[in-house]
Amino acid sequence: MSNDYEVMISSEEIMQGIRELGKTLSDYYLGKQIVLIPLLKGGFMFAADLIRSMDVQMQIEFLGAASYGEQTKSSGEVRLTLDTTLPLSGRDVLLVEDIVDTGLTLAYIQRLIKSRDPASLHTVVLLDKKIRRKVEVEVDRVVFNIPDRFVFGYGLDSPGGFGRNLSDIVAKKE
Ligand code: 5GP
């Protein structure tokens, strides 16, 4: 990683936060069978660590979303790039997302899932930039609240398109 970037959340801090969330969710879903849905692309690494911190019977499905517009800014117009294969009707669904910014992506995806009549929908996000919210969106658990800075690493893409594989969450130095 170049000197222009600084670590905002280290991989150790991320893993500790995820282990705590995993325990909370294991208690919350005690005795239930759930459908866990990572939202791609950004949510894949968070979901991979979270599912291994949870002691819950689960099936895993995937949803993919991309927003039109500039790379560092969501335009609000969301495009579904990948859909689930299992029916969600009557199921307890856990949606796993990397970051909530304006809320537009999550609002769109939550509407889509709810239209399929699940028994419940719970949403967890790794990062929340609350100050940027444009639409109200239900987020049940947040691992880290962050300021209004563009971050990448740990599954989240960098403007150049090569940042997803970093273990830490980083940002450009200000
Ligand atoms: P929203 O629709 O809430 O504005 O934005 C959600 C999506 O925008 C996220 O799933 C993510 O793909 C992207 N996004 C928002 N903020 C950031 C950021 O700081 N870094 C990266 N890499 N993506 C972001």
Side-chain angles (χ1 to χ4, degrees):
M1 192 179 59
S2 93
N3 279 342
D4 298 344
Y5 296 97
E6 61 185 316
V7 173
M8 285 196 61
I9 309 172
S10 70
S11 91
E12 290 75 22
E13 290 172 303
I14 297 169
M15 291 312 298
Q16 194 189 332
I18 291 178
R19 274 195 293 273
E20 281 165 25
L21 177 61
K23 268 194 221 124
T24 305
L25 292 171
S26 300
D27 291 342
Y28 182 78
Y29 285 119
L30 191 69
K32 293 211 166 144
Q33 290 183 327
I34 68 168
V35 181
L36 182 142
I37 307 181
L39 186 58
L40 304 180
K41 295 179 189 171
F44 79 94
M45 207 176 278
F46 173 37
D49 284 328
L50 181 62
I51 59 182
R52 287 177 290 179
S53 305
M54 289 173 66
D55 182 16
V56 177
Q57 281 204 341
M58 63 176 77
Q59 287 168 302
I60 299 172
E61 285 285 306
F62 296 97
L63 278 172
S67 89
Y68 295 99
E70 290 170 50
Q71 214 171 6
T72 58
K73 247 190 269 158
S74 164
S75 65
E77 205 179 324
V78 181
R79 186 162 49 102
L80 195 69
T81 55
L82 180 69
D83 205 348
T84 51
T85 55
L86 282 179
L88 301 179
S89 173
R91 304 299 308 273
D92 291 302
V93 175
L94 176 60
L95 180 63
V96 179
E97 164 67 317
D98 56 352
I99 185 164
V100 54
D101 183 23
T102 62
L104 291 160
T105 306
L106 213 47
Y108 174 89
I109 292 295
Q110 287 179 336
R111 256 197 320 274
L112 178 80
I113 294 174
K114 282 183 182 164
S115 74
R116 294 173 184 178
D117 213 18
S120 69
L121 172 61
H122 205 76
T123 302
V124 295
V125 302
L126 181 64
L127 307 171
D128 189 352
K129 283 194 213 170
K130 213 168 202 154
I131 197 170
R132 300 249 317 148
R133 203 74 93 250
K134 279 192 190 154
V135 290
E136 267 207 36
V137 63
E138 292 161 36
V139 180
D140 299 286
R141 310 247 169 222
V142 172
V143 185
F144 300 102
N145 283 292
I146 61 165
D148 183 12
R149 286 179 71 182
F150 187 81
V151 294
F152 65 91
Y154 196 71
L156 289 99
D157 208 9
S158 65
F162 285 94
R164 290 193 199 273
N165 57 320
L166 300 175
S167 306
D168 303 313
I169 291 169
V170 306
K172 209 171 180 0
K173 281 184 187 158
E174 290 190 322

